[in-house]
Amino acid sequence: MAATAKPGIRLLSEPVLGDDTVQSLLISLLRGLAAIQVAAAHLRAEFFPGLRTMADPPLVYQGLAFFTGFAHQAVVLFFLISGWLVGGILLGKMGRPQALPAYAIDRLTRLWTVLVPTFSLMLLFGMFSGELVPDTIDYSRSNNYSALSFLGNLVGLQTVTMAQFGGNYPLWSLANETWYYLMFPLLLVLVTGSTPARRAFAMLSLLAIALALPYAITLYFLIWLLGAVFSRVRVDCGNGARWAMLALFAVVSVYFRLTGLNDDMTPASFVQDLVYSIVFLLFLSSMHMKANPASRPLARLRAAAKFFAEFSFTLYVLHVPLIRVMQHLGRQFWGGYRLSPANWIDYGIYCALLAAILMLSYGAYRLFEAHTPKVRRWLKDLLLSPARVPAPVKR
């Protein structure tokens, strides 16, 4: 930021998404940390007893429960960053040739290059653990491993008309994401459509979707939209104000972690998540300055942030199936898998299991998600005209 910039808030004609900004570094860092937070929270919940069920939990376990208890806030960050990256970039591409077809290919490949192989692995894991018998794979909506559930979860029907595939409960948030990917371009057509017929079609489609979806999914579209809107907001301020906003964000995060509703995203939790979102986005909008290219610590941080951000999506959708396999192996070889908060060795086991989840998720990323750009290019060459198409969203 220029030293002479006057303090204030202004709108940008284009989002600032260069890899050389502190803003970009923070987005990558938070994507990776949020996915690790969710995996760590679910691993603790599945292997350790619940903190509220213990009369006198050890102090170290209270600390573990506290620091792995921000999964709710982490998912809110996923929605905000998704809106910032996906929605913010589409804002700048509307009206260009083939913008919407290219956007559709980007979104579908983003989801399916991870979900299709993950669901296939879940079928193998289910047969390995005995939870799934091949003869039970049918088209029943009540069967979480059915072909209908497989297909329905690919198009965001989990929590809408069916349960999450294979009991992989984090998939609930992907239903939100899938519908937001559809609702946002419809909203843009409603506002910028070139003909009354297009605007009317967009309005009726949005109304039909809003009425068909659970109310909470529609309501939290406003959180996702905030991310898209703030991608065009620049907050000019000094370093003191930035530190103050960061401190406020930390205080708000801890306050809602301790006193808020941190289980599901419901209308009751919306106000707290809205406050949390605005505080975070104001801070992020102030971090538009260029990162010092000569700083080695920043270079190392950027490399680490990029590494974990790249496989954050795979980690998010694969960690629960991996936890189920670990639980099965524990029952088979040790007679159980529960860990004790009173045993120091069990904390080491927990850390080792989390490290294994990260490594296996990275391996799955290299096998599948890392090839998303190639799949996108192939589909665009196949389905779109030779005219120049918009660059894909790197997310």
Side-chain angles (χ1 to χ4, degrees):
M1 183 183 68
T4 57
K6 292 180 62 176
I9 299 177
R10 53 196 174 103
L11 295 178
L12 303 172
S13 58
E14 292 289 340
V16 180
L17 293 172
D19 291 338
D20 58 347
T21 64
V22 176
Q23 204 171 65
S24 177
L25 187 155
L26 282 174
I27 288 174
S28 294
L29 182 64
L30 289 171
R31 285 173 59 194
L33 289 177
I36 294 172
Q37 169 65 214
V38 171
H42 291 156
L43 180 65
R44 175 184 59 82
E46 294 286 350
F47 277 80
F48 280 108
L51 186 64
R52 295 177 182 176
T53 66
M54 303 174 65
D56 187 22
L59 185 61
V60 65
Y61 185 63
Q62 294 182 48
L64 177 65
F66 173 78
F67 286 109
T68 59
F70 290 86
H72 181 96
Q73 287 81 6
V75 175
V76 175
L77 286 182
F78 283 139
F79 288 165
L80 294 172
I81 291 173
S82 174
W84 184 291
L85 296 176
V86 178
I89 291 179
L90 183 60
L91 275 171
K93 296 187 182 300
M94 284 297 291
R96 298 184 187 180
Q98 305 185 101
L100 289 179
Y103 169 83
I105 291 173
D106 289 342
R107 295 302 91 221
L108 289 176
T109 53
R110 168 63 176 168
L111 293 170
W112 291 357
T113 55
V114 175
L115 293 183
V116 170
T118 297
F119 290 177
S120 301
L121 287 173
M122 288 172 62
L123 291 172
L124 295 177
F125 294 165
M127 288 185 282
F128 168 73
S129 65
E131 182 179 356
L132 170 64
V133 178
D135 292 343
T136 66
I137 300 177
D138 53 26
Y139 286 91
S140 170
R141 192 169 65 178
S142 61
N143 180 358
N144 290 346
Y145 280 104
S146 71
L148 183 62
S149 180
F150 188 110
L151 297 174
N153 276 243
L154 289 180
V155 294
L157 293 181
Q158 64 272 30
T159 72
V160 179
T161 63
M162 60 186 62
Q164 296 92 324
F165 181 72
N168 189 352
Y169 47 87
L171 295 177
W172 71 265
S173 69
L174 296 189
N176 293 54
E177 285 278 350
T178 301
W179 289 105
Y180 300 162
Y181 291 163
L182 176 60
M183 294 166 73
F184 185 67
L186 287 172
L187 182 62
L188 292 184
V189 172
L190 175 62
V191 175
T192 65
S194 58
T195 66
R198 290 182 179 180
R199 294 194 293 271
F201 172 78
M203 181 180 67
L204 292 175
S205 299
L206 280 171
L207 181 61
I209 291 171
L211 292 175
L213 292 177
Y215 177 59
I217 294 182
T218 303
L219 182 62
Y220 270 82
F221 181 46
L222 297 177
I223 297 291
W224 195 94
L225 273 179
L226 273 179
V229 170
F230 268 84
S231 71
R232 297 301 185 87
V233 173
R234 173 170 173 148
V235 177
D236 291 317
C237 61
N239 287 332
R242 291 191 186 95
W243 282 110
M245 285 189 283
L246 178 59
L248 178 61
F249 174 61
V251 169
V252 168
S253 300
V254 172
Y255 176 76
F256 288 137
R257 161 69 182 89
L258 296 175
T259 66
L261 302 172
N262 294 306
D263 293 326
D264 298 321
M265 288 186 179
T266 66
S269 64
F270 178 76
V271 173
Q272 76 176 41
D273 293 336
L274 179 63
V275 173
Y276 172 83
S277 299
I278 291 173
V279 173
F280 166 72
L281 290 170
L282 284 171
F283 168 69
L284 186 61
S285 297
S286 74
M287 302 300 290
H288 46 72
M289 72 287 289
K290 299 291 185 181
N292 181 4
S295 171
R296 288 188 177 181
L298 273 182
R300 295 191 186 100
L301 182 61
R302 185 185 296 109
K306 181 181 178 182
F307 173 78
F308 286 105
E310 282 181 340
F311 74 99
S312 59
F313 185 34
T314 295
L315 172 61
Y316 185 82
V317 300
L318 187 59
H319 72 274
V320 167
L322 291 175
I323 288 173
R324 295 286 184 250
V325 171
M326 292 172 175
Q327 289 174 325
H328 173 71
L329 292 175
R331 286 190 293 263
Q332 289 291 108
F333 294 100
W334 292 282
Y337 60 86
R338 303 298 296 184
L339 301 177
S340 171
N343 191 338
W344 282 93
I345 295 178
D346 285 359
Y347 291 100
I349 295 174
Y350 168 84
C351 292
L353 293 175
L354 181 59
I357 289 173
L358 294 177
M359 289 188 292
L360 291 170
S361 296
Y362 179 73
Y365 158 78
R366 296 294 300 173
L367 286 173
F368 306 114
E369 186 182 359
H371 299 288
T372 301
K374 295 179 182 178
V375 176
R376 283 176 174 167
R377 286 195 298 270
W378 177 76
L379 285 174
K380 288 179 179 179
D381 290 341
L382 179 67
L383 300 175
L384 301 183
S385 68
R388 187 173 181 269
V389 299
V393 176
K394 189 177 179 181
R395 180 181 174 272

